[in-house]
Amino acid sequence: GAARPMSSGRLTLLAPLAGWSAPLTETPDEVFAGGLAGEGLAIDPTGDTLCAPCDAEVLLLPPSRHAVTLRTAGGAQLLLHIGIDTVALAGQGFEACVRAGDTVARGAPLIRFDLDLLVQRARSLLTPIVVTPDSGFGVLRRSLGQRLAAGDFLMELAPLDERAEAARASASTLTRRVRV
């Protein structure tokens, strides 16, 4: 389709997996619950595949494969963390579909996981999806307290910078996008 102008560098994230959306405060982890890892929400998964919530680059994928950090073209950094204390599983039950440095399209599979194994072994299945505090984006609106299918609307992010800066940045980004 035709490139439509995005107002002020806003970014729409789609649900990266099926499940029930919950506030971060419900996660049994003080880093996520206290908002220290960033703003966002958590999904209690019913699906077993974590997908890209938007077009992005895979920034970090630890050897334990329980989490992935993505960076969007606009600079937003997103942390998707499957379950709580799942790093302790040392990769057991997780299969990476991507590597650090890969560019992924919205909806592309990132990590497949064994839901039954995690139910037995993880402290919680709640999967935080947050925008990291230092990436300059905040959450405008989010889907909370509802059942989501993968690909449903999850969150809308906007730059935290002053409007003028955001407008300039998105204008230059748009110009480049149109030329390419």
Side-chain angles (χ1 to χ4, degrees):
R4 60 192 174 106
M6 285 179 50
S7 58
S8 69
R10 286 184 184 178
L11 177 67
T12 297
L13 302 181
L14 303 183
L17 75 170
W20 185 264
S21 62
L24 284 175
T25 50
E26 290 187 11
T27 56
D29 180 291
E30 52 285 351
V31 173
F32 287 115
L36 300 175
E39 280 191 87
L41 49 73
I43 295 178
D44 194 359
T46 53
D48 64 358
T49 304
L50 185 76
C51 297
C54 59
D55 297 351
E57 178 195 351
V58 179
L59 207 55
L60 295 169
L61 183 73
S64 50
R65 302 182 294 279
H66 71 290
V68 61
T69 303
L70 304 176
R71 183 172 52 205
T72 69
Q77 284 189 27
L78 310 169
L79 170 63
L80 291 73
H81 192 287
I82 301 166
I84 300 298
D85 291 351
T86 43
V87 66
L89 296 174
Q92 190 185 357
F94 296 97
E95 179 200 343
C97 307
V98 293
R99 286 195 299 240
D102 287 356
T103 301
V104 292
R106 181 174 70 195
L110 300 172
I111 302 170
R112 288 194 177 84
F113 53 96
D114 183 335
L115 204 53
D116 294 334
L117 177 87
L118 294 189
V119 164
Q120 294 162 30
R121 308 273 305 277
R123 185 157 145 213
S124 168
L125 284 180
L126 276 174
T127 295
I129 293 117
V130 298
V131 54
T132 59
D134 52 1
S135 66
F137 281 77
V139 178
L140 278 185
R141 53 195 184 98
R142 62 194 106 195
S143 293
L144 278 182
Q146 60 195 64
R147 186 164 295 291
L148 298 172
D152 284 354
F153 172 81
L154 185 71
M155 285 188 277
E156 186 179 14
L157 307 180
L160 296 171
D161 318 345
E162 272 130 22
R163 257 170 218 233
E165 261 181 68
R168 268 204 305 280
S170 70
S172 64
T173 307
L174 276 177
T175 310
R176 248 177 281 145
R177 263 199 208 126
V178 172
R179 264 188 221 127
V180 172

